[in-house]
């Protein structure tokens, strides 16, 4: 335990130093970021024994989770999906918390204090993208005067479920015929709030929405120096059609390398932290 804490201390603060709020101010528009932990082949998730995908236990570790939260702590709003909210509803505290971890008493309460000291709400507002509208909004999502905005299809936005969400205090925004268009999400967030840093916190399908709309600015990657061996149908990768390193228009910057980290399956791993920056962001 002590060793793990020391490892976390080793990396503490390195993503706060990126000053994403300052970067957004410099570029004069919202900055859109995402981050993943993956193996050498970009694998981010693996089927568990119950058949559900989860972050591979060979990868999950406290140092990466700390840096995930340092990025999230700089966001005015997070984008999540129906899949995450279903996991949150069924697993509660066992799923990785992105809903109220910055609240007093939460696992990252000190980052919550940091947010308040830097003029941000205690926890970021929440965007959910969904076609099915088959999820419940956790009550914690509305705490501390936060906004919840759901982007869905044109039909979905006129449904009974949408009415229920609106009654509970969420906004429901029509954002596409078959699925959500990332450009509609970004335009809405740019026009309707003082959102400077927007962080996508969920899986590869929502990442693809942002890439299709060409609105992603920075993709932070923690790459664990190991190969997860599994049938391709039992794993998910960051991108479905290419490797992250082949993402056109992005340039890679290495940030930090860390050895001797304990993963959640008990194995010792090494990992590299780095960021793929859109070419027009690299100059700032
Ligand atoms: N290693 C990592 O860093 C990392 C990070 C995040 C997640 N993960 C893992 O990745 C796996 C997949 O995550 P996930 O299922 O939460 O994320 P996802 O694949 O991005 O999908 C999230 C939700 O987005 C909605 N969605 C997808 N495409 C859409 C579209 N075109 N329009 C509107 N809504 C759309 C779907 O909801 P509807 O069905 O309602 O349409 C879906 O449930 C999980 O096992 C998760 O643990 C790993």
């Amino acid at each position: 335990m002590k060793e793990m804490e020391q490892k976390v201390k080793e990396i503490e603060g390195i993503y706060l130093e990126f000053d994403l709020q300052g970067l957004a101010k410099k570029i004069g528009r919202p900055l859109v970021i995402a981050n993943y932990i993956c193996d050498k082949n970009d694998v981010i998730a693996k089927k568990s024994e119950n058949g559900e995908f989860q972050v591979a236990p060979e990868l999950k570790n406290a140092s990466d989770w700390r840096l995930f939260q340092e990025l999230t702590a700089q966001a005015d709003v997070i984008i999540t999906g129906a899949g995450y909210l279903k996991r949150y509803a069924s697993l509660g505290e066992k799923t990785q918390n992105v809903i109220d971890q910055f609240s007093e008493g939460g696992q990252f309460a000190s980052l919550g204090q940091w947010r308040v000291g830097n003029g941000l709400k205690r926890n970021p507002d929440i965007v959910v993208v969904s076609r099915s509208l088959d999820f419940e909004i956790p009550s914690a999502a509305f705490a501390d005067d936060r906004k919840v905005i759901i982007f869905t299809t044109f039909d979905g936005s006129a449904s009974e479920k949408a009415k229920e969400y609106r009654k509970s205090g969420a906004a429901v925004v029509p954002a596409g015929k078959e699925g959500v268009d990332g450009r509609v999400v970004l335009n809405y967030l740019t026009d309707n709030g003082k959102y400077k840093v927007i962080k996508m916190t969920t899986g590869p399908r929502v990442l693809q929405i942002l890439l299709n709309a060409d609105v992603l600015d920075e993709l932070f990657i923690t790459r664990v120096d190991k190969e997860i061996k599994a049938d391709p149908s039992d794993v998910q990768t960051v991108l479905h059609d290419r490797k992250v390193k082949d993402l056109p228009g992005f340039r890679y910057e290495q940030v930090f390398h860390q050895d001797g980290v304990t993963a959640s399956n008990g194995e010792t791993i090494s990992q590299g932290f780095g960021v793929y920056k859109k070419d027009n962001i690299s100059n700032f």
Side-chain angles (χ1 to χ4, degrees):
M1 191 62 190
K2 199 131 190 247
E3 255 170 51
M4 212 146 89
E5 280 165 18
Q6 275 167 357
K7 281 286 149 194
V8 173
K9 279 266 167 282
E10 193 175 274
I11 47 86
E12 222 170 79
I14 64 174
Y15 278 175
L16 290 179
E17 276 174 23
F18 272 69
D19 185 17
L20 300 178
Q21 289 279 328
L23 177 56
K25 229 183 248 167
K26 275 189 209 153
I27 62 175
R29 61 167 177 81
L31 179 82
V32 183
I33 67 161
N35 75 311
Y36 288 99
I37 182 163
C38 63
D39 81 343
K40 279 181 173 178
N41 299 314
D42 291 4
V43 169
I44 60 162
K46 190 175 143 183
K47 249 187 209 161
S48 64
E49 277 161 15
N50 66 11
E52 305 229 333
F53 280 100
Q54 60 173 17
V55 179
E58 296 93 323
L59 306 176
K60 232 169 152 180
N61 66 83
S63 298
D64 172 68
W65 189 228
R66 163 73 200 189
L67 290 186
F68 174 103
Q69 294 294 356
E70 288 192 7
L71 292 176
T72 309
Q74 297 176 66
D76 301 278
V77 59
I78 60 160
I79 303 177
T80 187
Y84 172 76
L85 291 179
K86 278 189 193 168
R87 285 195 294 280
Y88 185 84
S90 66
L91 295 171
E93 289 299 305
K94 273 193 238 145
T95 193
Q96 296 183 300
N97 189 356
V98 299
I99 302 294
D100 61 355
Q101 73 281 20
F102 299 136
S103 298
E104 271 179 46
Q107 192 192 354
F108 291 94
S110 59
L111 285 174
Q113 277 158 9
W114 180 92
R115 286 177 61 83
V116 173
N118 283 277
L120 300 170
K121 285 185 192 175
R122 183 91 202 196
N123 287 284
D125 285 351
I126 298 178
V127 159
V128 186
V129 298
S130 172
R131 286 167 297 209
S132 69
L133 298 183
D134 178 20
F135 64 89
E136 301 308 320
I137 307 170
S139 56
F142 291 109
D144 305 327
D145 197 26
R146 296 157 81 186
K147 287 202 178 87
V148 177
I149 310 161
I150 299 162
F151 290 88
T152 188
T153 57
F154 300 142
D155 286 351
S157 71
S159 66
E160 280 304 309
K161 190 75 196 204
K163 267 191 208 156
E164 277 174 37
Y165 291 137
R166 287 189 182 108
K167 230 191 235 167
S168 70
V172 183
V173 183
K177 191 167 171 4
E178 305 294 336
V180 167
D181 178 342
R183 184 45 68 185
V184 176
V185 177
L186 194 74
N187 288 345
Y188 183 95
L189 294 178
T190 306
D191 295 346
N192 285 268
K194 295 193 168 74
Y195 298 119
K196 292 205 282 294
V197 176
I198 300 168
K199 182 177 186 239
M200 203 286 286
T201 59
T202 194
R205 286 176 293 166
V206 178
L207 178 69
Q208 198 57 50
I209 291 176
L210 301 180
L211 290 170
N212 290 346
D214 196 22
V215 296
L216 185 73
D217 294 305
E218 294 191 333
L219 179 58
F220 290 79
I221 293 285
T222 305
R223 191 174 293 284
V224 175
D225 193 18
K226 76 173 295 152
E227 252 176 88
I228 292 174
K229 302 256 187 278
D231 192 274
S233 61
D234 290 340
V235 293
Q236 293 188 35
T237 48
V238 181
L239 303 170
H240 66 93
D241 60 348
R242 63 186 78 198
K243 287 278 176 14
V244 176
K245 67 175 176 47
D246 299 324
L247 205 51
F250 284 80
R251 209 176 302 164
Y252 183 68
E253 280 177 27
Q254 173 81 22
V255 179
F256 194 74
H257 181 87
Q258 198 179 33
D259 293 313
V261 173
T262 308
S264 69
N265 68 348
E267 283 177 20
T268 302
I269 53 171
S270 299
Q271 57 192 358
F273 300 97
V275 54
Y276 290 84
K277 291 186 177 182
K278 194 81 163 283
D279 287 340
N280 57 6
I281 293 289
S282 295
N283 305 327
F284 285 94

